[in-house]
């Protein structure tokens, strides 16, 4: 699949989400939508009604990152309204295989997210049920935090597990991805990059996406 860039709208203008998505539509692969419930993380964003409207409005597919309690109950609705990728957190889910299967049955890619301190190894056997692993490179909750280098060894281990499983699991990193950090994450094996403030803090978000992609492509592990 190659390198993919998914700008996060967390730090975009919430009063003009349609316009903000248009600014990256020519350059990016996905729109990363951070759903937060003020329980799993200490922040509150949007829910399924806004996602449904964004699906209709956006030319790019939506990549929904659910930072919520009880994803077993709430996640399938995001797939049902048309989010093309739905990611739930390992620390919150009760029945990940069942949930991943119901997301896929509803037509979405199924993603599993891990907070920085959550190990990847207990989830190795789940890879055939998944389309994506999201390794958080900050504690989830807010944009604009510094990239945690401590996650780099886990990215490398995840890349090996994905290769050994023979599947087509995308390896996404999220948090603190910017010009200064994206090459480290790409060299460790990530192939899908979420960037919030590095894109929406730039004067030209589309150009920021193109520059991040070029950096990641140059640094990416090949073969
Ligand atoms: C953090 C979110 C991220 C965030 C990234 O909890 O999951 O998607 O928006 O923002 P930056 O790129 O600014 O770290
Ligand atoms: Zn996110």
């Amino acid at each position: 699949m190659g390198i993919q860039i998914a700008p996060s709208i967390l730090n975009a203008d919430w009063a003009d989400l349609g316009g903000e998505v248009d600014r990256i539509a020519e350059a990016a692969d996905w729109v990363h939508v951070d759903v937060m419930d003020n329980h799993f993380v200490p922040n509150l964003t949007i829910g399924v009604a806004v996602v449904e409207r964004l699906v209709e409005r956006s030319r790019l597919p939506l990549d929904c990152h659910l930072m919520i309690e009880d994803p077993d109950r709430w996640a399938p609705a995001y797939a049902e309204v048309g989010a093309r990728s739905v990611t739930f957190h390992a620390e919150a889910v009760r029945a990940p295989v069942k949930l991943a299967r119901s997301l896929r049955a509803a037509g979405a890619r199924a993603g599993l997210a891990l907070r920085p301190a959550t190990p990847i190894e207990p989830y190795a056997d789940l890879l055939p049920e998944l389309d994506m692993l999201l390794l958080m490179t900050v504690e989830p909750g807010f944009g604009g935090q510094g990239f945690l280098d401590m996650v780099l060894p886990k990215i490398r281990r995840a890349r090996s597990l994905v290769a050994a499983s023979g599947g087509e699991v995308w390896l996404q990193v999220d948090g603190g991805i910017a010009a200064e950090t994206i090459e480290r994450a790409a060299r460790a094996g990530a192939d899908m990059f979420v960037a919030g403030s590095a894109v929406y803090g730039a004067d030209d978000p589309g150009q920021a996406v193109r520059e991040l992609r070029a950096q990641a492509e140059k640094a990416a592990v090949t073969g």
Side-chain angles (χ1 to χ4, degrees):
M1 192 64 204
I3 297 296
Q4 299 186 84
I5 309 286
S8 160
I9 52 173
L10 183 61
N11 280 13
D13 178 359
W14 288 103
D16 181 22
L17 283 184
E20 292 286 69
V21 167
D22 286 343
R23 295 169 82 198
I24 53 148
E26 300 294 329
D29 302 288
W30 295 80
V31 184
H32 182 88
V33 178
D34 289 304
V35 173
M36 303 185 182
D37 68 352
N38 200 27
H39 291 275
F40 183 72
V41 289
N43 196 1
L44 182 67
T45 58
I46 57 167
V48 75
V50 178
V51 167
E52 181 171 23
R53 184 68 194 103
L54 269 181
V55 165
E56 295 163 356
R57 176 67 170 75
S58 170
R59 283 177 282 164
L60 293 174
L62 261 56
D63 168 37
C64 283
H65 174 195
L66 305 182
M67 285 159 277
I68 60 173
E69 301 283 8
D70 205 359
D72 305 71
R73 178 172 178 192
W74 302 112
Y78 292 85
E80 285 156 16
V81 300
R84 295 263 297 280
S85 175
V86 178
T87 299
F88 56 87
H89 265 266
E91 304 84 0
V93 69
R94 290 197 181 91
V97 174
K98 184 174 176 219
L99 179 54
R101 288 183 181 180
S102 70
L103 294 172
R104 284 174 158 184
R109 297 175 60 86
L112 178 74
L114 306 182
R115 299 179 80 130
T118 304
I120 177 69
E121 285 72 15
Y123 302 98
D125 292 342
L126 242 65
L127 288 175
E129 302 286 340
L130 299 171
D131 300 295
M132 187 173 83
L133 279 176
L134 192 184
L135 303 185
M136 290 300 304
T137 43
V138 297
E139 285 296 349
F142 299 94
Q145 304 180 73
F147 181 86
L148 293 172
D149 278 283
M150 59 157 278
V151 183
L152 288 169
K154 182 164 67 177
I155 300 172
R156 286 191 281 270
R157 295 199 304 277
R159 174 49 67 201
S160 304
L161 290 171
V162 166
S165 84
E168 271 290 298
V169 178
W170 296 348
L171 198 48
Q172 184 178 72
V173 284
D174 181 8
I177 298 294
E180 300 72 32
T181 54
I182 193 166
E183 292 174 10
R184 298 211 281 287
R187 273 198 296 274
D191 57 10
M192 187 166 180
F193 301 85
V194 176
S197 34
V199 169
Y200 281 102
D203 291 337
D204 182 344
Q207 182 59 19
V209 170
R210 284 186 281 273
E211 287 172 14
L212 288 169
R213 186 192 302 282
Q215 278 188 282
E217 282 176 347
K218 218 167 75 191
V221 285
T222 47

